[in-house]
Amino acid sequence: MSIVDTPERRQLRELTRAFVTREVLPHLADWERAGEVPRELHATAAKIGLLGIGFPESVGGSGGDLLDSILVTEEIIRSGGSSGLIAALFTHGIALPHMVAAAGGQSGGLLRGRLGGGQLRGDDDLIDRYVRPTLAGTMIGALAITEPDGGSDVAAIRTTARRDGDHYVVNGSKTYITSGVRADFVTTAVCTDFPGSGELSLLVIDKGTPGFTVGRRLEKLGWHCSDTAELSFVDVRVPVTNRIGEENTGFLAIMQHFAAERLSLATQAYATAQRCVELATRWCRDRATFGRPLASRQLIRHRLAEMHTRAEAARAYVHEVAARVAAGEPVVTEVAMAKNVAVAACDQVVDQALQLHGGFGYLRDAEVERHYRDARILGIGGGTTEIMNEIIAKGMGL
Ligand SMILES: Cc1cc2nc3c(=O)[nH]c(=O)nc-3n(C[C@H](O)[C@H](O)[C@H](O)COP(=O)(O)OP(=O)(O)OC[C@H]3O[C@@H](n4cnc5c(N)ncnc54)[C@H](O)[C@@H]3O)c2cc1C
C-alpha cells in the first residue's frame, strides 16, 4: 500500500479528481491562451477545501499534512491538469508558509508530521490580513526572491529595505515571479543590511503601494496558464508590521521552506511522467502502423515499460523522502536528490511520450505537447538541478 493510500486520502483524491474534471478541464485551453487562471477558480477550490490543504485550521486552512498536499498535486496532474495550473492556483503554497511559521503554526507538515497549528503570536495580524483571505480564495499572493542579477545565489539579493521610523523603504527589482501579475500582495525577500550581505528579511508588500509597479507579463515556453511578472520597487514605504518574523531571519526562513517547494516540484515531475505514460500507452494501443497497433511491437512495449518504471521509481523515492520530512527528519540532501531524480525521470518520459505520438505529439491539440513544454521549468524553479547537485555534494562531505 502506498504511503498516500489511506481511506481519507482516497476521498481527497476523488474530491481533487472531481474538481479537475468539472472546474478545470473544460477551460484549461482557454486559460492557457489567456495567460492566467481566473480569480473565481481560487474561490471555488477554497470552498471545497482544496486550497487550504496542508495549512492548519487555526489559520484558515483545511488541515492535513505534507503527504496530503503531495496527493492533491499528484492527482491534479493525473486527472488531466498540469504543473502550470498548480503553479498558478497554489502559489500560496510558497507565498504563505513563512507567515504561518512565524505566527507559530506550520504549513505543509514541513517541520512536523501532523499540523497542530500551535499558539499564534505577534504575526497574527499577517494571518488575518493575508493568510485567511488567501486560503478563502479572495486574495492572491506571490513569493519574490529571484532578481534580474541572479536567482541561484539567494544570499546575494540586492533589493534593499532601509529602516525609516516605523517603515522600511524598499528599492530594487524582482523577476520571473509566479502569479506576479494577479497578486494582491507579494512576500518579498529584501536585504536589511548592505546589498549582497546575506542579511535578509521577508516583507509583505501590497499591490498599489506607491512606488511598487508590476512590469510586463513575461511570455514563456510553458506554464502558459500561470502568469509571470517582473516587479519594481522605487522608494516603496512598507510598514514594519508587514515584516515576517524577526529582522535578518529571512535567509533561514527561505531555506526551510524551499524544501516543501522542492518536494512539490518533484511531485509535479513524477506525476507528469505518470500522466505521460498513461497518454502514450493509450495512444500506442489505438494507433496502428503497418497494419497493427504500435503496442503490439516489442520495441514499443519495452519503451513504455521503461517509461513506467522510471516514473514509478521516482514516485516511490519522492514519497519516501516526503514521509521522512513529514516525520521531522532533517533530510535536506534527500530532498535535493528527490527533486533531481523526479525531474530526470520526467524529462526522459515526456520526451519519449511525445515521440511515440508522432506528428500529433507536436500539435497544440495534444495534451502531451503541453506537458513537454511545462516540464522544462521543473529542473529550473525552486533551485536548479545544478544547485541541487551542490547540496547533494555538500551532504556527501565534498
Ligand atoms: C516560470 C518561472 C517561474 C518562477 N517563479 C518564481 C517565483 O515565483 N519566485 C521567485 O523568486 N523565483 C521564481 N522563478 C525563478 C527561479 O527560481 C530561478 O530562475 C532559478 O532559481 C534560477 O535562477 P536564475 O534564473 O537567476 O539562474 P542563475 O542563477 O543565473 O543560473 C544560471 C545557470 O547557472 C547554473 N549555476 C548557477 N550557479 C551555479 C553553480 N554555483 N555551480 C554550477 N552551476 C550553477 C544554474 O543551475 C543555471 O543552469 C521562476 C522562474 C521561472 C522561469
Side-chain angles (χ1 to χ4, degrees):
M1 185 189 246
S2 156
I3 55 157
V4 293
D5 198 12
T6 63
E8 295 78 21
R9 288 193 175 127
R10 275 200 287 278
Q11 266 183 354
L12 184 59
R13 201 181 275 285
E14 277 163 29
L15 179 83
T16 308
R17 184 167 279 267
F19 168 77
V20 173
T21 306
R22 203 174 45 239
E23 307 292 344
V24 173
L25 296 187
H27 311 291
L28 188 53
D30 288 340
W31 299 338
E32 289 273 302
R33 277 189 289 275
E36 61 183 45
V37 301
R39 295 182 82 91
E40 304 85 66
L41 188 68
H42 293 251
T44 308
K47 214 172 285 169
I48 60 167
L50 268 192
L51 217 58
I53 289 289
F55 287 87
E57 289 171 23
S58 58
V59 301
S62 316
D65 65 10
L66 178 65
L67 304 180
D68 295 303
S69 301
I70 283 180
L71 180 145
V72 170
T73 301
E74 182 184 305
E75 195 58 34
I76 285 177
I77 294 175
R78 296 203 63 183
S79 310
S82 67
S83 58
L85 176 84
I86 290 163
L89 184 59
F90 289 83
T91 320
H92 62 279
I94 54 175
L96 299 182
H98 319 85
M99 283 185 241
V100 177
Q106 292 297 345
S107 60
L110 187 60
L111 303 177
R112 282 211 300 265
R114 288 304 296 187
L115 298 170
Q119 278 301 103
L120 299 185
R121 290 197 313 260
D123 292 63
D124 287 13
D125 181 45
L126 297 181
I127 300 291
D128 289 338
R129 284 162 57 211
Y130 300 105
V131 177
R132 288 183 199 284
T134 304
L135 295 178
T138 57
M139 264 188 144
I140 293 172
L143 173 70
I145 296 174
T146 307
E147 303 190 341
D149 284 342
S152 299
D153 188 1
V154 174
I157 278 176
R158 306 189 70 78
T159 297
T160 54
R162 181 178 48 79
R163 186 78 182 251
D164 181 22
D166 53 4
H167 282 76
Y168 286 102
V169 181
V170 178
N171 281 284
S173 52
K174 299 286 178 181
T175 194
Y176 315 141
I177 304 309
T178 297
S179 295
V181 177
R182 296 177 307 144
D184 302 296
F185 67 89
V186 182
T187 300
T188 311
V190 294
C191 180
T192 19
D193 203 329
F194 62 90
S197 66
E199 296 289 7
L200 305 185
S201 302
L202 289 169
L203 300 181
V204 186
I205 306 183
D206 291 307
K207 186 181 246 174
T209 311
F212 171 24
T213 47
V214 177
R216 67 196 169 99
R217 181 191 296 266
L218 300 173
E219 294 191 2
K220 313 184 292 297
L221 172 70
W223 278 15
H224 285 178
C225 68
S226 167
D227 56 293
T228 311
E230 292 173 330
L231 311 177
S232 160
F233 305 94
V234 179
D235 292 333
V236 180
R237 293 186 68 79
V238 181
V240 171
T241 48
N242 275 28
R243 190 187 66 218
I244 301 172
E246 299 299 320
E247 194 170 277
N248 295 338
T249 58
F251 186 78
L252 187 63
I254 290 167
M255 291 303 141
Q256 280 175 341
H257 293 286
F258 259 150
E261 181 180 1
R262 286 169 186 162
L263 280 174
S264 171
L265 290 162
T267 303
Q268 292 170 46
Y270 79 69
T272 299
Q274 287 180 308
R275 176 72 180 173
C276 285
V277 172
E278 283 164 19
L279 293 171
T281 303
R282 202 182 307 155
W283 174 269
C284 291
R285 281 205 177 105
D286 294 346
R287 180 75 172 176
T289 65
F290 300 94
R292 54 191 176 94
L294 279 173
S296 69
R297 300 178 192 282
Q298 191 181 47
L299 176 90
I300 301 290
R301 285 201 307 275
H302 284 199
R303 193 181 291 181
L304 289 168
E306 283 167 10
M307 291 158 63
H308 180 54
T309 305
R310 277 191 162 244
E312 283 302 301
R315 181 190 61 81
Y317 187 55
V318 173
H319 281 198
E320 188 204 304
V321 173
R324 292 176 66 184
V325 170
E329 284 187 49
V331 285
V332 177
T333 308
E334 287 77 1
V335 168
M337 291 196 290
K339 182 168 187 278
N340 278 3
V341 163
V343 166
C346 182
D347 283 348
Q348 212 233 5
V349 169
V350 292
D351 182 68
Q352 294 292 311
L354 190 146
Q355 185 71 14
L356 287 169
H357 278 74
F360 181 61
Y362 198 67
L363 299 191
R364 276 288 146 91
D365 286 345
E367 184 184 330
V368 72
E369 185 260 3
R370 191 185 64 226
H371 291 306
Y372 182 86
R373 288 182 291 101
D374 284 354
R376 194 61 187 84
I377 183 61
L378 301 175
I380 296 172
T384 63
T385 299
E386 291 77 12
I387 295 304
M388 295 306 102
N389 279 336
E390 276 297 292
I391 294 169
I392 297 161
K394 206 188 247 178
M396 294 166 68
L398 293 167

